[in-house]
């Protein structure tokens, strides 16, 4: 199986996986209400997945270094399917939390897929291939909520069982059509594969990799802070209805996908991934300030739209920078550690947004701007460290 064929199988699996996840996200609150989920506990229910994933992904990544990517991807997808089934069969709030925690604990899908892309890509192709994979995940997230909304008309449980079926389809595709990409599995002594959570700290001490991971954490926190402001501003200030908000959010997602598809063309103009990251972060900062100053739809849409466009470059550039500097036999673990920091950024961003929302909805966008500004400084540091190495 050629590298291109493996990549496109991974792309299809990524679309299926993210589409299944996207299907259930808009339904968590309305479905959970009958079990006692409130506007206060929905944040905890959402965070339960990210917190479980924070601890699980580096362990799953390390296991993929030892046993191979394919079995760990199959395991992760089976866990996702089981969590959706548990959610559909839930009869209490405790089952809802158990389902989200199960999905988080087996949620190595993204990091293992990223490790597989890194396995099959040359340094010149990595940014392009990570952009393609990112586009696939983004496409699934964009169309998932729309599919979930349509299926919910046949019953609130239907989307969850459909999402489980989608995940099972991913299992079958992985098992029958995906070739193992980790040629170095099991080459280290057994003791060398042992994962300790101290690695969550020690990885940050690596000059380039640590700086890239922490920059990604800050930019993820900024994005998920912004998303709380996006929802609040759209409802309270712009008075948009759910359909209009869905279309608006879909446009935000599509803009990022389009930019990820342009990564090969951008790389021809600017070869340095760290420089591309710096430029995109600078644009994100400016547009987030614009969104924070907006009082009407047009200026807000311009700010959020251009932010979404340049934010789409974040993951392809950071993943390529990290992958270029990882030893083959620790690729899964480091990609898992990176995903851990992304997960905690997804949790802390909305928490911070909730705290400053008491000041005003505009303060949420300025908090996001602060995170991006700090990330900008680390992007400069990343260029310096990259040149030194």
């Amino acid at each position: 199986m050629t590298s291109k064929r493996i990549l496109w199988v991974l792309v299809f699996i990524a679309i299926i996986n993210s589409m299944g996840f996207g299907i259930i996200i808009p339904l968590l609150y309305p479905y959970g209400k009958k079990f006692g989920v409130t506007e206060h506990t929905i944040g905890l229910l959402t965070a339960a997945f990210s917190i479980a994933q924070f601890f699980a992904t580096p362990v799953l990544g390390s296991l993929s270094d030892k046993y191979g990517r394919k079995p760990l991807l199959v395991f992760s997808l089976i866990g996702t399917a089981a969590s959706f089934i548990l959610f559909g069969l839930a009869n209490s709030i405790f089952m809802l939390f158990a389902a989200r925690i199960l999905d988080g604990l087996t949620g190595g899908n993204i990091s293992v897929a990223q490790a597989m892309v890194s396995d099959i890509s040359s340094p010149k192709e990595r940014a392009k291939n990570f952009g393609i994979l990112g586009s696939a995940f983004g496409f699934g997230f964009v169309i998932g909520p729309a599919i979930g909304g349509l299926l919910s008309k046949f019953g609130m449980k239907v989307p969850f069982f459909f999402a489980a079926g989608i995940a099972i389809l991913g299992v079958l595709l992985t098992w029958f059509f995906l070739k193992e990409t980790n040629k170095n599995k099991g080459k280290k002594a057994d003791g060398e594969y042992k994962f300790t959570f101290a690695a969550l700290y020690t990885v940050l001490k690596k000059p380039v990799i640590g700086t890239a991971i922490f920059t990604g954490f800050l930019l993820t926190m900024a994005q998920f802070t912004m998303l709380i402001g996006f929802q609040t501003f759209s409802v309270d200030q712009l008075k948009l209805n759910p359909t209009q908000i869905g279309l608006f959010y879909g446009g935000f997602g599509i803009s990022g996908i389009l930019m990820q598809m342009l990564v090969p063309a951008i790389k021809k103009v600017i070869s340095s991934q760290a420089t591309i990251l710096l430029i995109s972060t600078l644009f994100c900062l400016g547009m987030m300030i614009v969104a924070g100053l907006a009082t009407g739809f047009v200026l807000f849409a311009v700010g959020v739209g251009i932010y979404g466009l340049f934010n789409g470059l974040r993951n392809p550039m950071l993943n390529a920078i990290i992958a270029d500097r990882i030893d083959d036999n620790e690729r899964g673990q480091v990609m898992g550690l990176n995903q851990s920091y992304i997960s905690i950024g997804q949790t802390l961003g909305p928490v911070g947004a909730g705290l400053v929302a008491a000041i005003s909805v505009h303060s949420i966008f300025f908090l996001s701007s602060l995170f991006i500004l700090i990330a900008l400084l680390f992007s400069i540091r990343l260029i310096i460290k990259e040149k030194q190495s």
Side-chain angles (χ1 to χ4, degrees):
M1 183 180 278
T2 64
S3 296
K4 277 192 174 180
R5 187 177 170 186
I6 292 172
L7 176 64
W8 289 111
V9 173
L10 279 173
V11 162
F12 196 56
I13 291 168
I15 292 172
I16 288 173
N17 182 49
S18 59
M19 185 168 65
F21 186 75
I23 283 170
I24 73 162
I25 288 301
L27 304 173
L28 285 178
Y29 183 52
Y31 180 71
K33 281 181 75 174
K34 63 181 179 180
F35 302 118
V37 173
T38 67
E39 61 269 23
H40 303 295
T41 54
I42 185 63
L44 294 174
L45 185 62
T46 304
F49 169 84
S50 295
I51 293 169
Q53 191 180 55
F54 173 76
F55 291 106
T57 47
V59 178
L60 294 173
S62 185
L63 291 172
S64 80
D65 289 330
K66 181 176 182 180
Y67 298 108
R69 316 288 186 219
K70 184 174 175 175
L72 266 296
L73 187 56
V74 168
F75 170 76
S76 295
L77 288 167
I78 289 172
T80 297
S83 73
F84 290 155
I85 292 170
L86 187 60
F87 217 94
L89 297 174
N91 55 22
S92 71
I93 193 171
F94 299 106
M95 285 185 70
L96 298 183
F97 272 94
R100 298 309 294 140
I101 291 170
L102 173 62
D103 198 12
L105 289 176
T106 58
N109 316 29
I110 296 176
S111 57
V112 174
Q114 289 172 342
M116 294 183 87
V117 168
S118 184
D119 288 338
I120 64 171
S121 304
S122 67
K124 287 185 178 180
E125 293 180 321
R126 280 202 178 113
K128 179 189 75 173
N129 290 346
F130 277 124
I132 292 170
L133 187 70
S135 298
F137 276 113
F139 179 71
F141 280 126
V142 169
I143 65 171
I147 293 172
L150 291 172
L151 291 174
S152 65
K153 294 179 180 180
F154 301 99
M156 287 297 286
K157 292 179 181 288
V158 172
F160 299 103
F161 293 124
F162 181 81
I166 288 290
I168 291 170
L169 178 59
V171 171
L172 296 175
L173 283 171
T174 303
W175 188 263
F176 291 108
F177 295 101
L178 197 61
K179 184 180 178 182
E180 176 58 57
T181 62
N182 183 9
K183 297 176 182 178
N184 296 291
K185 65 177 182 177
K187 287 189 177 181
K188 293 193 294 184
D190 283 346
E192 292 183 81
Y193 285 105
K194 189 175 181 181
F195 175 79
T196 63
F197 285 103
L200 287 163
Y201 166 70
T202 56
V203 74
L204 295 179
K205 295 168 72 174
K206 297 186 177 185
V208 176
I209 292 175
T211 304
I213 288 175
F214 194 70
T215 303
F217 161 72
L218 289 166
L219 291 173
T220 300
M221 196 157 53
Q223 178 185 341
F224 279 78
T225 300
M226 182 279 296
L227 288 176
I228 299 299
F230 174 88
Q231 295 174 53
T232 308
F233 191 85
S234 296
V235 174
D236 295 343
Q237 301 288 323
L238 301 179
K239 309 297 182 184
L240 301 182
N241 61 43
T243 302
Q244 290 170 327
I245 293 172
L247 291 171
F248 195 0
Y249 182 75
F252 169 80
I254 290 169
S255 65
I257 293 171
L258 291 173
M259 185 62 92
Q260 288 173 336
M261 293 173 67
L262 291 173
V263 166
I266 295 169
K267 284 282 290 175
K268 287 180 180 178
V269 179
I270 307 171
S271 59
S272 169
Q273 288 145 183
T275 303
I276 295 171
L277 178 68
L278 176 65
I279 294 169
S280 66
T281 304
L282 191 59
F283 271 96
C284 286
L285 176 61
M287 291 304 103
M288 192 52 53
I289 294 171
V290 168
L293 294 172
T295 55
F297 177 79
V298 174
L299 192 59
F300 183 71
V302 168
V304 170
I306 297 177
Y307 166 83
L309 198 66
F310 284 93
N311 188 57
L313 291 172
R314 179 188 75 209
N315 285 333
M317 294 306 115
L318 286 170
N319 287 334
I321 290 168
I322 293 166
D324 285 348
R325 288 159 180 82
I326 307 174
D327 292 336
D328 291 345
N329 54 19
E330 61 175 7
R331 189 166 283 149
Q333 178 179 323
V334 175
M335 284 299 186
L337 289 165
N338 182 44
Q339 189 60 42
S340 286
Y341 279 98
I342 289 173
S343 297
I344 209 67
Q346 292 171 353
T347 305
L348 293 179
V351 171
L355 292 174
V356 302
I359 303 170
S360 75
V361 67
H362 298 281
S363 64
I364 299 175
F365 299 104
F366 293 130
L367 177 63
S368 179
S369 300
L370 176 62
F371 293 144
I372 298 172
L373 176 60
I374 299 170
L376 183 67
L377 299 176
F378 274 91
S379 299
I380 296 170
R381 184 174 188 264
L382 188 59
I383 292 175
I384 296 169
K385 293 294 181 183
E386 197 176 48
K387 287 179 178 178
Q388 290 175 346
S389 66

